[in-house]
């Protein structure tokens, strides 16, 4: 995982932070959180697209992340596929390694 350079994006509505995301130049999505108050309004999809565009613009050929059980369906609907068995502790699944190929946008 290349964490040498990255970007943190914040979405603010009416003076309140409603979303935050972070992606490395190498394509690792380290953070993608949207407040429950902002869910189902397109904020998550817009933030994810911005993170992917940043990574592609820096030359990443794919984005990688680890999804929670809750967000798994969201990422699948946005073109991500599982990249290995579920991760977990004590025999319980708690996350999914996922990846998505990106178009070449290097600037």
């Amino acid at each position: 995982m290349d964490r040498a350079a990255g970007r943190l994006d914040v979405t603010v509505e009416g003076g309140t932070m409603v979303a935050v995301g972070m992606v490395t130049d190498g394509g690792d999505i380290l953070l993608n959180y949207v407040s429950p108050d902002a869910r189902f309004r397109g904020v998550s999809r817009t933030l994810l697209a911005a993170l992917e565009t940043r990574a592609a613009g820096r030359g990443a050929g794919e984005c990688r992340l680890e999804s929670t059980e809750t967000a798994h369906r969201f990422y699948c609907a946005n073109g991500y596929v599982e990249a290995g068995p579920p991760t977990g502790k004590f025999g319980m699944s708690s996350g999914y390694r996922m990846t998505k190929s990106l178009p070449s946008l290097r600037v």
Side-chain angles (χ1 to χ4, degrees):
M1 183 181 312
D2 175 17
R3 293 188 182 183
R7 177 185 175 126
L8 181 72
D9 285 345
V10 176
T11 304
V12 177
E13 288 182 349
T16 301
M17 183 172 25
V18 296
V20 61
M22 183 174 188
V23 64
T24 68
D25 288 351
D28 295 299
I29 295 179
L30 305 176
L31 177 64
N32 185 13
Y33 174 79
V34 176
S35 168
D37 296 335
R39 291 180 66 205
F40 307 111
R41 297 188 325 206
V43 174
S44 300
R45 193 174 309 272
T46 301
L47 178 59
L48 183 60
L51 297 173
E52 293 169 354
T53 298
R54 165 67 181 202
R58 298 302 230 174
E62 68 179 10
C63 275
R64 295 166 300 280
L65 58 84
E66 186 164 334
S67 172
T68 62
E69 178 75 34
T70 303
H72 184 257
R73 227 173 42 191
F74 167 77
Y75 288 117
C76 288
N78 283 281
Y80 284 79
V81 295
E82 291 183 30
T87 60
K89 297 179 182 173
F90 311 112
M92 298 179 67
S93 173
S94 62
Y96 299 89
R97 287 183 219 111
M98 303 187 83
T99 186
K100 177 181 179 179
S101 293
L102 299 174
S104 177
L105 299 176
R106 184 139 191 139
V107 291

